[in-house]
Amino acid sequence: MRWEDVRRWNAEPLLRAYDEFLLREGTAETAGQDLFRMAGSIASTGETATALRTRLTELRADSDLIEALLSDGVTALLVASQGVGEIEQHVRECYASATDQGLVLHDDGRVSIAESTFARAREQSERMSEEYGYSMPVEHTPALTIAISHRISLEERIERLLGTADDVDTDLVTALDSLADGNASDTAVETSQLTPNQLPDLSLLTDAGTAAEVRGVWDSLDATTQQRLLEEHPEVLGNLDGIPFQDRVTANSITIDETVGEIDIEIEDIQQQLDELDLTTITNRADAYEHVNTKNDLEERLDELIPEREYLNSLLAPGSGAVLFDRDNDRIIQVMGDLTQPADEVITHVPGTSTTWESFVDGSVQNIPQYMVETGAEDGQNVVGFAVKDGPWVTWTGERSNISSNSMQELGDRVHSFTDAAGLENSFRDAETTGTGHSAGMTVLSGAEQAGSHYDNVISLAGSYTVNDWEANPTTEYDHMQYGWDAINAVDVAKSNTPHQMTDTFEQHHFEGEPNRFWIFPRGVEHHTRMQQGPATNQEVLDQIYLEAMN
């Protein structure tokens, strides 16, 4: 694989081919179902009728094979387009890195040191001689030694990228050769042979592999089959990467509605228990304590359930929903905005330490994406926002401690899985992407970048440190925002890789905070929590986020 070829790779033709294959696959599927119905509608028992049924069955078998081959083509093209899209991004990053590091990346893949870097090296050598009387060879100057190190790293990155490109190319060629030979996969054959009222085994989706491969299987099913699967297995398909986001919202709406019903029953039961509390049964102090404690426990539970019911009902409203909803395992990704129309901007917000299920219930973590969605609508822009918490989140101590870079990387891997699935959304193809991270959410967001996620903009909102070995993406715009002195700045003492300190990477936006008290730290905490709040207390920051993301 040659760089002069790979640098021109473009996923758009593959996506157009995917769209065409998908259309043809649907046509073949309809034809097969029509043939099945025609054969079943022949009630006669004579030789002519038998011969006709036999011929129709043969034609349906041919149609099923064509459908299966097209289904495999859909999957192969989608997987390839995702791989090529990632390579496109890496190619842009390589050229940007070369420019930033004083190198020249030639069209044939060679990397050389730019003349401007040699000039800087000569200046350093002359300055050493003039100021210190020491004749430093040009090749030993910092400018040149650093450039040489960068050149080696870039050459190694290009070599790895060419290897990846070769794998993508080989996989697609192998898949297309298989189609040309008439060999369809077992999964495609099984889905193509489904009768109109037959559902596939769920394992065809859950065991399909990557999100792109899951999408390929899903796309091979007709709309009626998809809808029936969503209704029968909402708890699985609503949380399965590769299922289209709008379908995941549909599935999770079923689960949410059922959850609301369960909460209604629990609320009714608690209210009945409260009504049945009988003061006349109290005969001593112990009875009185038990009565008070029971009443308090029941009322406390009501105070938890009633707001949660209101929140869950809000997820069932248009323009809202969840692409991940697993209450038992503390997993939720809320979506805000219109998934059915092409998006202009997609914003992913990653909250910080101590974010819980209740943080979503009280609305404290949705302020940033919700403001982006609403302001975008006022400007005629379709902004889609997400608030992400895939499982128990960042804590102060324990296995998910915010001081553990490895733990933050694990959470970052989960965010990357989400962004990887988002990359399959047809409505997101031309959208700009922004990632925002509040507090330790910035650490998690940097972990998602380290895992392979790419954002056009990354915004640190009083963000903590970046994970070990994190490097800024040369094609991403980075911003850091905070009020006055923020409590998170205490991390600066122990970490050197905080957005507040990395002024060469993160454009700094410092907003006037509250007047200092005699003891400054409490104001620092107030400043920190304020960064994730709504317009009433955080308008200036919200406006700056919108400006950075939309420009």
Side-chain angles (χ1 to χ4, degrees):
M1 191 60 63
R2 301 182 308 172
W3 178 260
E4 51 259 50
D5 297 323
V6 171
R7 72 182 182 86
R8 291 193 293 266
W9 277 18
N10 183 351
E12 189 57 36
L14 289 171
L15 288 171
R16 290 198 299 269
Y18 157 78
D19 291 338
E20 184 66 23
F21 263 66
L22 189 58
L23 178 64
R24 301 301 181 186
E25 190 273 342
T27 302
E29 182 176 28
T30 300
Q33 292 179 351
D34 288 343
L35 289 166
F36 174 80
R37 293 189 185 94
M38 290 170 62
S41 67
I42 301 174
S44 302
T45 57
E47 291 183 5
T48 301
T50 299
L52 182 55
R53 276 194 298 271
T54 299
R55 182 56 181 152
L56 288 171
T57 301
E58 291 171 349
L59 288 172
R60 194 215 167 189
D62 292 340
S63 177
D64 286 347
L65 177 58
I66 293 171
E67 179 190 344
L69 293 171
L70 288 168
S71 294
D72 280 339
V74 165
T75 301
L77 288 166
L78 186 59
V79 171
S81 67
Q82 189 178 46
V84 170
E86 292 173 357
I87 287 169
E88 277 189 89
Q89 178 58 41
H90 285 299
V91 167
R92 289 192 291 269
E93 291 170 9
C94 285
Y95 278 106
S97 292
T99 300
D100 291 346
Q101 296 166 354
L103 305 172
V104 177
L105 175 51
H106 300 274
D107 289 345
D108 60 1
R110 290 180 299 108
V111 181
S112 62
I113 297 173
E115 178 55 38
S116 59
T117 301
F118 280 113
R120 193 164 64 254
R122 288 191 291 269
E123 290 175 2
Q124 289 178 349
S125 176
E126 291 170 2
R127 189 164 58 250
M128 288 293 292
S129 178
E130 293 172 359
E131 295 181 4
Y132 302 102
Y134 169 65
S135 179
M136 173 179 283
V138 171
E139 60 269 23
H140 293 167
T141 59
L144 203 55
T145 55
I146 291 173
I148 291 171
S149 175
H150 286 322
R151 183 184 66 186
I152 294 171
S153 296
L154 184 55
E155 287 171 341
E156 291 173 347
R157 180 175 183 178
I158 290 171
E159 184 176 357
R160 291 194 301 271
L161 185 56
L162 292 176
T164 301
D166 189 57
D167 291 340
V168 171
D169 182 68
T170 300
D171 289 346
L172 180 58
V173 169
T174 300
L176 296 179
D177 285 345
S178 183
L179 299 186
D181 293 338
N183 299 321
S185 68
D186 292 342
T187 296
V189 168
E190 185 171 343
T191 57
S192 70
Q193 292 177 349
L194 294 171
T195 61
N197 295 318
Q198 185 180 5
L199 287 181
D201 192 290
L202 194 61
S203 63
L204 290 181
L205 290 161
T206 56
D207 297 342
T210 66
E213 290 166 332
V214 171
R215 176 64 62 87
V217 177
W218 184 255
D219 284 344
S220 72
L221 305 174
D222 65 84
T224 301
T225 301
Q226 290 175 348
Q227 184 60 35
R228 289 180 59 200
L229 284 170
L230 292 174
E231 291 171 354
E232 294 198 16
H233 305 285
E235 72 290 345
V236 175
L237 299 180
N239 302 325
L240 182 60
D241 285 339
I243 302 299
F245 279 177
Q246 186 58 54
D247 290 332
R248 288 173 67 169
V249 169
T250 298
N252 285 325
S253 292
I254 296 172
T255 305
I256 292 168
D257 190 54
E258 292 173 350
T259 304
V260 169
E262 294 169 0
I263 290 175
D264 284 338
I265 292 172
E266 187 175 355
I267 288 175
E268 184 178 347
D269 179 62
I270 291 173
Q271 289 173 334
Q272 183 177 345
Q273 291 182 61
L274 286 170
D275 292 340
E276 293 174 353
L277 287 177
D278 189 357
L279 288 171
T280 63
T281 62
I282 298 176
T283 60
N284 53 50
R285 181 174 295 179
D287 289 343
Y289 279 131
E290 183 178 357
H291 176 90
V292 171
N293 289 336
T294 300
K295 184 174 182 293
N296 288 343
D297 289 345
L298 292 171
E299 290 177 340
E300 183 178 332
R301 182 59 177 156
L302 270 183
D303 289 341
E304 295 172 354
L305 290 173
I306 292 175
E308 183 176 12
R309 180 176 61 181
E310 293 176 358
Y311 168 64
L312 296 182
N313 277 323
S314 75
L315 292 180
L316 300 176
S320 188
V323 297
L324 177 65
F325 184 85
D326 185 354
R327 187 175 181 235
D328 292 338
N329 292 300
D330 204 14
R331 306 174 68 208
I332 184 168
I333 299 177
Q334 183 178 341
V335 57
M336 291 143 273
D338 189 354
L339 289 169
T340 65
Q341 299 299 317
D344 298 297
E345 179 77 28
V346 176
I347 180 168
T348 301
H349 180 64
V350 184
T353 305
S354 300
T355 298
T356 62
W357 187 270
E358 289 71 26
S359 304
F360 281 77
V361 171
D362 65 28
S364 60
V365 298
Q366 298 98 318
N367 289 313
I368 306 298
Q370 188 64 49
Y371 182 82
M372 290 283 293
V373 170
E374 293 174 355
T375 307
E378 294 173 2
D379 292 342
Q381 300 289 304
N382 183 28
V383 179
V384 178
F386 298 91
V388 179
K389 192 184 85 69
D390 188 356
W393 214 235
V394 186
T395 55
W396 290 104
T397 59
E399 61 180 349
R400 296 181 307 281
S401 169
N402 53 19
I403 64 172
S404 169
S405 179
N406 290 338
S407 297
M408 298 303 95
Q409 181 61 63
E410 290 176 6
L411 295 180
D413 292 341
R414 300 182 195 177
V415 175
H416 172 61
S417 294
F418 160 73
T419 55
D420 189 50
L424 297 172
E425 292 298 297
N426 292 336
S427 61
F428 293 173
R429 284 185 184 179
D430 299 321
E432 293 284 306
T433 56
T434 295
T436 58
H438 176 243
S439 189
M442 180 60 220
T443 312
V444 175
L445 187 61
S446 71
E449 286 190 285
Q450 188 77 348
S453 291
H454 174 267
Y455 306 94
D456 296 302
N457 304 281
V458 166
I459 301 176
S460 159
L461 302 173
S464 188
Y465 66 96
T466 56
V467 294
N468 294 338
D469 301 322
W470 175 85
E471 293 183 3
N473 191 309
T475 62
T476 297
E477 296 290 335
Y478 292 91
D479 296 271
H480 172 74
M481 302 181 188
Q482 70 176 68
Y483 284 106
W485 186 87
D486 190 292
I488 200 69
N489 297 146
V491 178
D492 294 347
V493 177
K495 301 280 188 178
S496 60
N497 53 337
T498 65
H500 174 248
Q501 288 181 317
M502 291 189 287
T503 54
D504 289 342
T505 301
F506 287 81
E507 182 179 350
Q508 301 290 309
H509 305 270
H510 291 248
F511 302 89
E512 185 177 355
E514 297 296 322
N516 293 337
R517 291 181 177 141
F518 176 73
W519 184 33
I520 192 172
F521 193 71
R523 289 298 192 197
V525 173
E526 293 168 9
H527 292 163
H528 190 67
T529 57
R530 183 180 174 187
M531 288 300 299
Q532 194 175 230
Q533 293 174 2
T537 56
N538 200 28
Q539 185 69 60
E540 192 175 6
V541 167
L542 291 170
D543 287 342
Q544 190 67 42
I545 294 171
Y546 185 80
L547 179 66
E548 298 298 335
M550 302 302 288
N551 289 340

